[in-house]
Amino acid sequence: MREKLEQIKAEALRQIEASDALEKLNEVRVNFLGKKGELTAVLKGMKDVLPEERPKVGQLVNETRAEIEKILEESIRKMEQAVREAKMKTEVIDVTLPARKNNVGHRHPSTIALEEVERIFIGMGYEVVEGPEVEKDYYNFEALNIPADHPAKDEQDTFYITGDILLRTQTSSTQVHEMEKGQLPIRMIAPGRVFRSDEVDATHSPSFHQIEGLVIDKNITLADLKGTLAEFARELFGESTKVKFRPHHFPFTEPSAEMDVTCFKCGGKGCRFCKGEGWIEILGCGMVHPHVLEMSGIDPEKYSGFAFGVGLERIALLKYEIDDMRLLYENDIRFLKQF
Ligand code: DAH
């Protein structure tokens, strides 16, 4: 038996010696130490050994097994080390190669402009709210003093979903939602998408964005409107910006006006950018019509307010001197990267 074990051991060592790859060493392990390996076979042959000799033989088998195992492990460790060293020699990392560029996106110019407007009004104590894009006729028109037969309601300019439900044409509808909540005073801006049945050109799109503003409190006057919007213009376009209010008509404000700012390119002298005018139109505004307050449950004898509406794309186009609104929607990365 002893001889048999010596033979097995010698053969195992010979095979380990001859192995030139990890897989080969693994084969040796299976062949000699595995369940169907030679040493296991010897243990299975124990029944032919005299009972009093069995412990002795068992011990011998275990010793042989331990020896083979030890040498095998050592060989595997050495082999792994050799493989690693060979890999280090052949795999050279060239630190002078240019790094792979990470394409990080950034905010859209309209988003940058919106965040700027929000920052200015939040700084003045305003809340930023949102209203629904799919709107009832009542909120988009009726409650804003635009009754069924009003020319501003021309069906051509509106996307109707049913006779009574439509895609809002103006963020002014959020004024009504805020007033209906019945929590006064109100100091809010409401940015959002609006829709009109317009053909696409350099200054029109069937979908664009507005930022609505509404302030309602006791003793709010036209002076508050002018002071607030003049400050807004200075923060947005620069400290030296002047504003001008031209009388206008909006059904939900009385009086109503459009606000122009001095051209921030020429300072008001007149240039190509402002088409020689010196002034650039920026927004519509006015004192909230008493009937509009009343319809939303606010007593016009106690409260008054002002409102305004700004086109977001218009602000972005002006701020970044972009001459075609379509560029904002095309999402051409070469264009967007510039801002
Ligand atoms: N909703 C108007 C529009 O789309 C803009 C506007 C004008 C909003 C005057 C206002 C306002 O709140 O007071 O043309």
Side-chain angles (χ1 to χ4, degrees), residues 96-144:
T96 66
L97 278 176
R100 207 177 295 160
K101 266 219 192 113
N102 223 353
N103 259 333
V104 181
H106 69 95
R107 292 173 306 159
H108 189 278
S110 295
T111 308
I112 303 174
L114 172 60
E115 288 179 357
E116 177 70 0
V117 172
E118 288 182 346
R119 185 190 63 75
I120 295 168
F121 280 103
I122 287 171
M124 293 197 261
Y126 285 58
E127 194 185 348
V128 180
V129 303
E130 272 181 43
E133 292 173 2
V134 180
E135 194 54 282
K136 286 215 170 106
D137 180 288
Y138 176 79
Y139 290 94
N140 196 79
F141 294 124
E142 200 80 25
L144 289 166

Side-chain angles (χ1 to χ4, degrees), residues 169-170 172 175 196 210 212-213 250 252-253 284-286 307-309:
T169 62
Q170 50 185 357
S172 303
Q175 290 189 28
R196 291 186 195 180
Q210 290 184 329
E212 194 74 16
F250 296 107
F252 39 90
T253 44
C285 58
F308 54 92

Side-chain angles (χ1 to χ4, degrees), residues 2-222:
R2 188 185 290 273
E3 269 155 52
K4 175 107 208 268
L5 287 171
E6 284 296 337
Q7 258 177 27
I8 292 176
K9 188 171 129 190
E11 178 58 16
L13 295 189
R14 199 191 59 74
Q15 288 193 20
I16 290 172
E17 196 74 25
S19 295
D20 55 2
L22 280 169
E23 299 84 69
K24 293 255 172 72
L25 288 173
N26 216 28
E27 266 170 37
V28 177
R29 182 203 301 279
V30 174
N31 287 343
F32 288 88
L33 310 176
K35 263 191 209 152
K36 292 181 181 153
E38 305 221 12
L39 276 181
T40 318
V42 173
L43 283 176
K44 280 181 186 154
M46 280 289 241
K47 57 183 186 312
D48 303 329
V49 177
L50 289 174
E52 58 269 30
E53 295 214 353
R54 279 182 197 164
K56 193 101 201 273
V57 175
Q59 195 190 346
L60 264 178
V61 172
N62 283 340
E63 275 170 15
T64 310
R65 184 184 184 85
E67 276 173 68
I68 296 177
E69 229 162 34
K70 189 166 160 249
I71 295 168
L72 192 60
E73 290 306 323
E74 210 147 274
S75 303
I76 289 176
R77 212 179 41 73
K78 279 198 192 132
M79 185 83 72
E80 280 173 347
Q81 170 96 11
V83 167
R84 213 174 308 136
E85 272 168 15
K87 213 173 166 187
M88 298 246 265
K89 282 207 186 101
T90 51
E91 274 183 15
V92 183
I93 297 174
D94 183 352
V95 293
T96 66
L97 278 176
R100 207 177 295 160
K101 266 219 192 113
N102 223 353
N103 259 333
V104 181
H106 69 95
R107 292 173 306 159
H108 189 278
S110 295
T111 308
I112 303 174
L114 172 60
E115 288 179 357
E116 177 70 0
V117 172
E118 288 182 346
R119 185 190 63 75
I120 295 168
F121 280 103
I122 287 171
M124 293 197 261
Y126 285 58
E127 194 185 348
V128 180
V129 303
E130 272 181 43
E133 292 173 2
V134 180
E135 194 54 282
K136 286 215 170 106
D137 180 288
Y138 176 79
Y139 290 94
N140 196 79
F141 294 124
E142 200 80 25
L144 289 166
N145 236 2
I146 308 169
D149 54 358
H150 197 286
K153 220 185 138 171
D154 193 334
E155 212 159 332
Q156 297 288 308
D157 294 329
T158 312
F159 294 112
Y160 281 93
I161 290 177
T162 67
D164 190 38
I165 297 173
L166 46 85
L167 297 182
R168 67 177 176 192
T169 62
Q170 50 185 357
T171 46
S172 303
S173 51
T174 52
Q175 290 189 28
V176 182
H177 288 289
E178 283 308 296
M179 289 190 290
E180 278 187 349
K181 285 184 187 164
Q183 287 167 353
L184 296 172
I186 295 170
R187 220 169 249 100
M188 67 104 186
I189 58 167
R193 190 187 281 263
V194 299
F195 306 85
R196 291 186 195 180
S197 180
D198 280 340
E199 293 293 332
V200 175
D201 66 22
T203 53
H204 291 87
S205 160
S207 159
F208 58 103
H209 299 79
Q210 290 184 329
I211 306 166
E212 194 74 16
L214 177 69
V215 171
I216 296 184
D217 204 345
K218 287 177 176 148
N219 305 316
I220 297 289
T221 70
L222 193 65

